[in-house]
Amino acid sequence: MATGALLVVGAAWLVRAVWEIRLAVTGEPASGPPDQGGGSHRTLTSLEDSYHIVGAVGDIVVPFCAVAFLVWLWRVRDNARTLSGRPPKYHGIWVYLGWIVPVGNLWVPRGLVADVHRASAPDRRLPPVLNVWWALWLIGMLSGVGLFYQDSRDEVIARAYTDVWQLLVSDAAVVGAAVAAVFVVRAVTAVQDERAAGGPVPAAADGSAGERV
């Protein structure tokens, strides 16, 4: 469920990027941006209206993906405690608060996953894709136009007409983070499955030896 939800979010942001490119290619109407200022808004074009729909779909799928990922993280955290016989580094409340507490959300979620992997496979290095995922996630989160953009959708449309490259960089980071997260989920789940079965712990999901951090 977690990997499926992540791929759906990645697909939603990819579609969003396509619509932003379409807006940039079409160009801003002669009547100006949707938000005319002073509380005045012009009638949206059909392309702008469809972008609102695309954006709304993304807003809907993100919470479902968040729930699926957190359920997975909580379960592998419990598995790691059972496999290692030691308590997790982070208290359980951080599985949720780690994503929203300012400053702490810059490293706690990565630390949660890293701790699970270390406890599940102490003789293995962390998969490099973990750092790739987290770097892309931070770009998407901090760019201001990714998962947590502050502008209204009409303001984002106006940016697509003038600075679409900023939107596309952020979209690429979100899509890349979603795909990288799939490999993170698979890597952590794989080491736990192998450890539980009593077999050898496999290499990182991307086939590399990984990096100890």
Side-chain angles (χ1 to χ4, degrees):
M1 289 181 61
T3 56
L6 286 164
L7 290 175
V8 169
V9 168
W13 250 255
L14 184 60
V15 171
R16 183 171 130 164
V18 170
W19 250 252
E20 288 163 356
I21 293 172
R22 291 180 63 191
L23 287 166
V25 170
T26 301
E28 186 175 78
S31 53
D35 186 348
Q36 302 280 289
S40 176
H41 290 74
R42 64 166 171 77
T43 302
L44 297 176
T45 67
S46 59
L47 181 58
E48 292 169 345
D49 195 47
S50 64
Y51 181 76
H52 273 264
I53 296 174
V54 168
V57 171
D59 293 342
I60 292 171
V61 300
V62 165
F64 285 101
C65 178
V67 170
F69 188 86
L70 290 178
V71 169
W72 169 82
L73 182 55
W74 189 272
R75 288 179 174 177
V76 294
R77 180 177 173 275
D78 280 349
N79 291 343
R81 178 169 49 195
T82 301
L83 292 169
S84 66
R86 65 171 178 81
K89 179 179 178 180
Y90 296 90
H91 291 294
I93 191 63
W94 286 105
V95 173
Y96 308 106
L97 292 184
W99 303 88
I100 59 175
V101 173
V103 182
N105 60 1
L106 299 178
W107 73 80
V108 170
R110 180 199 173 276
L112 284 163
V113 178
D115 184 55
V116 167
H117 191 280
R118 291 190 183 103
S120 304
D123 57 336
R124 301 294 307 192
R125 295 179 177 179
L126 294 177
V129 72
L130 175 64
N131 292 325
V132 173
W133 161 63
W134 194 242
L136 291 172
W137 167 264
L138 290 178
I139 293 172
M141 181 179 69
L142 299 175
S143 63
V145 291
L147 284 169
F148 303 101
Y149 62 88
Q150 301 298 316
D151 294 343
S152 70
R153 196 153 287 135
D154 283 346
E155 289 173 324
V156 174
I157 289 173
R159 294 182 70 173
Y161 289 134
T162 59
D163 297 300
V164 71
W165 67 271
Q166 295 179 356
L167 299 176
L168 296 180
V169 167
S170 181
D171 291 340
V174 174
V175 174
V179 174
V182 169
F183 286 98
V184 170
V185 169
R186 290 172 59 87
V188 174
T189 302
V191 295
Q192 290 195 343
D193 286 345
E194 290 291 337
R195 180 81 176 275
V201 177
D206 59 0
S208 64
E211 176 185 2
R212 191 173 298 279
V213 177

